[in-house]
Amino acid sequence: MSLTILVTGGAGFVGSHTVLELLNAGHEVICVDNLCNAFGASNSKLPESLKRVEELAGKSVLFYDVDIRNRDGMRGVFKKHKIDCVAHFAALKAVGESCRIPLQYYQNNITGTSILLEVMEENNVFNFVYSSSATVYGEPQKLPLDENHHTGNCTNPYGKSKYFTEEILKDLCQSDARWTVISLRYFNPVGAHKSGRIGEDPNGEPNNLMPYISQVAVGRRLCLKVFGDNYDTPDGTGVRDYIHIVDLAEGHVSAIQKLVSGELNGFVVYNLGTGRGYSVLEVVDAFSKASGKDIKFEIVDRRPGDVAISYADVSLAAKVLGWTAKRGLKEMCEDTWNWQRSNPNGFAGSN
């Protein structure tokens, strides 16, 4: 069944890859993005990431340069299109940065989502896929982390913004049976599309491990900062569940298919990860092998808000959504390197 799907934050890393997979699955996609986390519009009046998505898919994307906090702007988009479902990616997303500017995170991630939901309700659109995060679990009380793990004991404002929004969505679904919400708790998205045409292109200094490593490998940065080597882990560095961005995008396609099937109701949650954790130094070693480059790094103090180990129990997504991650760390590193060496300065510096 072909759907018309509104994708917020569609020009960003997760958004653009998901837009491509939705187009490949036969859906019509409308994107809104304020471009705060994406390279700006090209001569085609599309952000460069979405211009390349169109090339890869051989299909067009409708794009609106609108901030989700702009109520009238969002109303205008809904008035122009009959939308079946919203996939909501628009958010500020860096753990460390959220500790420095928490008000901006709460304003964008919580207030922005609330305005979006109100505009959806005005237009009788009640199918919603939410881009959540494993950070809602806080310090793990058990591993692997399953969907029944306690949430809310978050260690940083970014995680709190995702947790608070999930609570809003729960209350909304309890108050009105018309709503069906799937919250997808991501672990750590990395990698790039196999073509090397789209990938992660952070503005300024990367806040996440893989793009920082790849920028060191390509010569844009001198050295990787490793935040702490005294965690209770095999090599002392933090352990995370990394998931290939295309696996993550395919997870959204599966979630949307389940959402509109009518089999679900209310608020439901699924983890999207691989179920396997890798330490920072394991990722550095794997990337060095994939790129053939020596990755210089230095150990610095721990970063506020980080936990030692986090990895997912992904059995529920497999059971209900019929989705499992297929790509391993080797492929994540190879695809990231293919993207980075083809686009050494990101979207801004290549054709």
Side-chain angles (χ1 to χ4, degrees), residues 39-94:
F39 182 67
S42 67
N43 292 333
S44 67
K45 297 184 180 180
L46 275 178
E48 183 64 25
S49 59
L50 293 179
K51 179 183 174 185
R52 297 186 186 191
V53 165
E54 285 192 335
E55 293 170 359
L56 291 168
K59 298 176 182 178
S60 62
V61 177
L62 285 169
F63 173 73
Y64 295 93
D65 184 353
V66 177
D67 191 305
I68 57 170
R69 294 169 293 182
N70 179 347
R71 189 183 301 270
D72 288 339
M74 292 303 298
R75 282 172 170 161
V77 174
F78 276 83
K79 292 300 181 188
K80 290 178 182 175
H81 305 281
K82 180 172 173 47
I83 294 165
D84 297 304
C85 176
V86 174
H88 179 39
F89 302 98
L92 299 176
K93 60 176 185 176

Side-chain angles (χ1 to χ4, degrees), residues 10 17 46 61 70 162 177 222 282-284 306 331:
H17 285 80
L46 275 178
V61 177
N70 179 347
K162 291 294 184 179
L222 293 175
E282 284 181 291
V283 176
V284 169
D306 279 346
E331 192 168 355

Side-chain angles (χ1 to χ4, degrees), residues 24 35 41 43 47-48 148 165 178 221 236 239 271 287 291 294-295:
N24 288 341
L35 302 179
N43 292 333
E48 183 64 25
N148 293 321
T165 302
R178 292 177 297 178
R221 300 192 181 275
V239 171
N271 286 336
F287 199 93
S291 64
D294 180 36
I295 310 297

